[in-house]
Amino acid sequence: MESKVRLQTEAGLPSLNLTGDEWRVMYESLNAVIYGLGPNELHTCTGHNLQETCSINLKICAAVWGAHGVGRAWVGS
């Protein structure tokens, strides 16, 4: 998945085109980084502050997380 993201980023595409499972991995990875590092370490390691990183993860969540009658489920799963 890393090479797929890199290729799309280097191509200057306005957004990434990933499968539902790939977006889930991206969401869970960002979540782990957010909770694994404190705000200062997060900024030092990624260049993004806590608010920016949480905003990115919220956008991912909003794009791939859907409501399906009884609770929530990942879109495409």
Side-chain angles (χ1 to χ4, degrees):
M1 183 174 78
E2 179 186 350
S3 60
K4 187 175 184 178
V5 171
R6 183 180 300 121
L7 287 172
Q8 292 182 41
T9 303
E10 289 172 354
L13 300 175
S15 62
L16 295 176
N17 184 13
L18 303 174
T19 67
D21 286 339
E22 289 169 332
W23 278 118
R24 176 189 256 177
V25 169
M26 185 76 75
Y27 173 84
E28 291 174 353
S29 297
L30 274 174
N31 231 21
V33 169
I34 289 168
Y35 290 103
L37 299 173
N40 293 331
E41 292 84 1
L42 179 67
H43 186 267
T44 299
C45 294
T46 69
H48 296 283
N49 65 34
L50 182 59
Q51 182 179 1
E52 291 170 322
T53 307
C54 288
S55 178
I56 291 167
N57 226 26
L58 181 60
K59 288 177 185 176
I60 292 171
C61 183
V64 299
W65 192 269
H68 299 282
V70 183
R72 299 172 293 193
W74 284 99
V75 174
S77 57

